[in-house]
Amino acid sequence: MTAKIRRARPDTLTDMPITIPVILSGGSGTRLWPLSRRVAPKQLQLLVGEMTMLDATLARVAALGERIMVISSGRQDTAIPEHVGPQPVTLVVEPVPRNTAPAVAAAALLAESDDVLVVLPADHHLTDEASFVRTAEEAVTIARGGRLVTFGIIPTGPETGYGYILPKDRGSSPIDKFVEKPDVATAAALIEAGAVWNSGMFVFPVGLVLSELDQHRPGLVDAVRRAIRSATIDEGRVMLGPEFGDAPAVSIDVAVMEQTKQGVVVPLAAGWSDVGSWSALWELGERDADGNVIRGDVIAVDSNGSYLRSEGPLVAVVGVDDLVVVATADAVLVTRRDRAQDVKKLTEQLRDRPES
Amino acid sequence: MTAKIRRARPDTLTDMPITIPVILSGGSGTRLWPLSRRVAPKQLQLLVGEMTMLDATLARVAALGERIMVISSGRQDTAIPEHVGPQPVTLVVEPVPRNTAPAVAAAALLAESDDVLVVLPADHHLTDEASFVRTAEEAVTIARGGRLVTFGIIPTGPETGYGYILPKDRGSSPIDKFVEKPDVATAAALIEAGAVWNSGMFVFPVGLVLSELDQHRPGLVDAVRRAIRSATIDEGRVMLGPEFGDAPAVSIDVAVMEQTKQGVVVPLAAGWSDVGSWSALWELGERDADGNVIRGDVIAVDSNGSYLRSEGPLVAVVGVDDLVVVATADAVLVTRRDRAQDVKKLTEQLRDRPES
């Protein structure tokens, strides 16, 4: 069979090329343990404000496209709405996680070759949604001209945890090179030279991204095509077949963006955060007079600059500075704000535990 | 009625003066929140080793006396055994807490005037029980000579949280003066001059301690005597009457020891700790190669010098030093080891919560 979501329902039948937001919701956000877990990843949690990041991302793209695709694991089924306003949402379920390149291939194969995909992770936060929509519309126009667009975030400092993209020119520009997680000095030099952060957000013409995937990762698209042929389709949910597991687990950055000659980076100034660690949530949160971000049943005595959160038990801190304390019903994390990235180390140790 | 525990049971009838260990178990140990609470104070918790401090204190005094008294609140009823080995334990229940002087008065009034009381808090830890018994036997001999004996702990440093006792001479000696919670410089000077820590452990001849109480706190003994007259006595349990509340809440140190001319301090070298805070438990505990004391379901990554304890939830720490983290099913404490005394501040804030 050939599943094509543009024509999936008679009432939305159209032969015009459309823009399809594709939300990648397969991640598990291990650096936000113990709140974010495999069974309840960070995009489904109330982390910033009163909306999950998945819902915020769905709302963000409502203005951009006629249909929305969410690519995810089966575990999140119940969290994915069937509509966002009037727009139907197609859930594409991966039988196994395979990073972003196979997910993009699946979305592209489910669209028509003249459609455009706006690919966004489900677990990023933006403070300026209107600015994002304006920039995304510009990116769609560039993509329709036969380019693979990535959004570049204006750096706020020489962070070492991100990938950097050096454009050839200022503004929207072809890409000179990618630099993954540089040291501080290299990061500072890159910023000086006009580099931006790799956001993991893209706009792709369907035909072009498929041909570039075929060229740079032969076999990947074929494996995903077989998984779509054997997919189970039910009420706008596409369960990909087991052949999806034959595709290599590789990011779209590595598989295509770092290889292609058609790449363009579009700078994005929209208050972006990948909410990659508890320290990011401290930065995004509302700080009290002591510089603490507090959520839930927490008492802070003589304590400053800390992210303090409870999902149940009373959390009391006395005389501590710059910590992260997060308590759920069955687990407690205590770390320093400047060590919050290392929570990943911990979750690697925890992998063998049930429900970690 | 006149209740006298020496003659309470026919099988132990004797006219010989006896030594009666009196264990004061009325405290609530608020600096060990969230483990120690009003309903489950620290002497009833497994804090050091595999025995509660109450049980360890009962075992400690088994060699010293023919009968044992425990003075406590009604809440601890079920934790108090009826015997320690062959020795009967009399539980004296205070209707309201009134600090140590009324408790000592109650014990004295329940004994005969020629008995000797060995008064010990239920929540202290000793590492050298044999040394304690030798010193206590010496103290009993001194007390029988008509002295009010207090045990003085050889200081390990100029701690500011303790009371100091300056003896007139080296060794067992009359008392020159008491200094309560001096600053560091004063503490150092006191230690240089031979001062010891006030342990809160005493040996008192019954007749003498009652007459000194009468002299320095007129009315206190009378109130307690009325409470004993109206007491309910049941199977070796003495529920003091409500008149106990008429006695002033005052410590035996302030009421008698700081006033009397009959005071003697006996130095005690038995590895004493009042287990007064979580930092004391870190010092008493078995430290691993990273200097952490770990108890319960705890994972420590890149962390050092910390007391990490769980009574239920998984506790994970990443990149922290010199902290105290204690988690129970319903509460989590995070503090610095050198701020552990300030947990008291917290429990004052928590006083209005149920079950705090």
Side-chain angles (χ1 to χ4, degrees), chain A residues 144-218:
Chain A
R144 288 207 184 281
R147 296 290 174 169
L148 300 172
V149 178
T150 183
F151 293 94
I153 309 298
I154 318 294
T156 54
E159 296 288 333
T160 56
Y162 294 135
Y164 284 71
I165 299 173
L166 189 63
K168 290 191 171 158
D169 295 306
R170 301 273 158 178
S172 297
S173 156
I175 292 164
D176 183 6
K177 65 173 177 179
F178 287 79
V179 181
E180 189 60 14
K181 297 184 182 172
D183 59 33
V184 174
T186 309
L190 281 165
I191 292 171
E192 183 65 28
V196 289
W197 290 338
N198 189 348
S199 68
M201 303 191 289
F202 310 93
V203 184
F204 296 140
V206 165
L208 181 59
V209 76
L210 285 174
S211 64
E212 291 285 306
L213 274 165
D214 258 341
Q215 180 183 339
H216 300 295
R217 288 282 161 157

Side-chain angles (χ1 to χ4, degrees), chain B residues 259-309:
Chain B
Q259 309 297 327
T260 184
K261 308 240 177 292
Q262 315 300 324
V264 166
V265 59
V266 172
L268 174 66
W272 172 89
S273 168
D274 69 347
V275 195
S277 70
W278 289 113
S279 62
L281 278 162
W282 178 80
E283 278 158 23
L284 288 171
E286 197 173 321
R287 296 193 275 281
D288 65 17
D290 298 321
N292 297 317
V293 174
I294 289 179
R295 195 142 173 171
D297 194 8
V298 173
I299 295 181
V301 177
D302 298 345
S303 297
N304 301 281
S306 296
Y307 185 84
L308 307 170
R309 178 174 190 133

Side-chain angles (χ1 to χ4, degrees), chain B:
Chain B
M1 60 150 288
T2 50
K4 293 287 178 183
I5 74 151
R6 200 204 293 180
R7 299 198 181 81
R9 299 181 191 191
D11 60 312
T12 58
L13 189 70
T14 170
D15 282 327
M16 297 289 291
I18 60 172
T19 298
I20 305 173
V22 176
I23 299 174
L24 305 178
S25 190
S28 58
T30 55
R31 281 173 298 183
L32 295 182
W33 185 92
L35 210 60
S36 179
R37 305 192 183 188
R38 286 194 303 261
V39 291
K42 75 183 206 210
Q43 58 270 27
L44 304 186
Q45 303 279 347
L46 284 179
L47 285 169
V48 196
E50 298 307 321
M51 200 185 245
T52 70
M53 284 190 283
L54 175 64
D55 286 341
T57 307
L58 287 166
R60 178 175 307 149
V61 298
L64 291 174
E66 287 75 20
R67 283 186 166 279
I68 299 169
M69 258 193 271
V70 175
I71 309 205
S72 182
S73 72
R75 284 176 165 159
Q76 295 174 35
D77 263 30
T78 56
I80 315 290
E82 291 184 14
H83 292 84
V84 176
Q87 301 188 44
V89 174
T90 302
L91 172 62
V92 181
V93 179
E94 301 174 327
V96 286
R98 275 296 178 268
N99 209 330
T100 52
V104 168
L109 290 168
L110 288 165
E112 303 287 341
S113 65
D114 54 356
D115 291 341
V116 165
L117 309 180
V118 177
V119 179
L120 304 181
D123 58 356
H124 289 182
H125 179 78
L126 299 178
T127 55
D128 186 347
E129 301 283 357
S131 172
F132 169 77
V133 170
R134 282 194 304 275
T135 306
E137 285 169 346
E138 178 196 339
V140 168
T141 304
I142 294 170
R144 288 207 184 282
R147 296 291 174 170
L148 300 172
V149 178
T150 182
F151 294 93
I153 309 298
I154 319 292
T156 55
E159 296 289 333
T160 56
Y162 294 134
Y164 285 70
I165 300 173
L166 189 64
K168 290 190 169 156
D169 296 307
R170 301 273 157 180
S172 296
S173 157
I175 291 164
D176 183 5
K177 65 173 176 179
F178 287 78
V179 181
E180 189 59 16
K181 298 184 182 172
D183 61 34
V184 174
T186 308
L190 281 165
I191 292 171
E192 184 66 26
V196 291
W197 290 337
N198 190 349
S199 68
M201 303 192 289
F202 310 94
V203 183
F204 296 140
V206 165
L208 180 59
V209 76
L210 286 173
S211 64
E212 292 285 304
L213 274 165
D214 258 341
Q215 179 182 341
H216 301 294
R217 289 281 160 156
L220 187 152
V221 172
D222 287 339
V224 177
R225 188 177 284 118
R226 288 195 300 277
I228 290 177
R229 280 206 198 99
S230 71
T232 311
I233 300 180
D234 175 32
E235 293 285 326
R237 316 226 142 183
V238 180
M239 315 287 180
L240 296 171
E243 299 86 347
F244 191 76
D246 298 337
V250 60
S251 72
I252 191 71
D253 298 274
V254 169
V256 171
M257 295 308 292
E258 297 182 7
Q259 309 297 327
T260 184
K261 308 240 177 292
Q262 315 300 324
V264 166
V265 59
V266 172
L268 174 66
W272 172 89
S273 168
D274 69 347
V275 195
S277 70
W278 289 113
S279 62
L281 278 162
W282 178 80
E283 278 158 23
L284 288 171
E286 197 173 321
R287 296 193 275 281
D288 65 17
D290 298 321
N292 297 317
V293 174
I294 289 179
R295 195 142 173 171
D297 194 8
V298 173
I299 295 181
V301 177
D302 298 345
S303 297
N304 301 281
S306 296
Y307 185 84
L308 307 170
R309 178 174 190 133
S310 174
E311 301 292 312
L314 169 62
V315 169
V317 300
V318 180
V320 300
D321 295 329
D322 304 324
L323 286 190
V324 169
V325 180
V326 178
T328 66
D330 65 353
V332 178
L333 169 72
V334 181
T335 187
R336 279 181 11 218
R337 247 178 49 226
D338 61 2
R339 294 292 302 270
Q341 294 287 341
D342 295 329
V343 171
K344 206 182 173 82
K345 286 190 194 176
L346 180 73
T347 51
E348 284 158 11
Q349 286 195 27
L350 290 175
R351 204 166 282 166
D352 295 334
R353 291 195 177 219
E355 301 303 288
S356 62

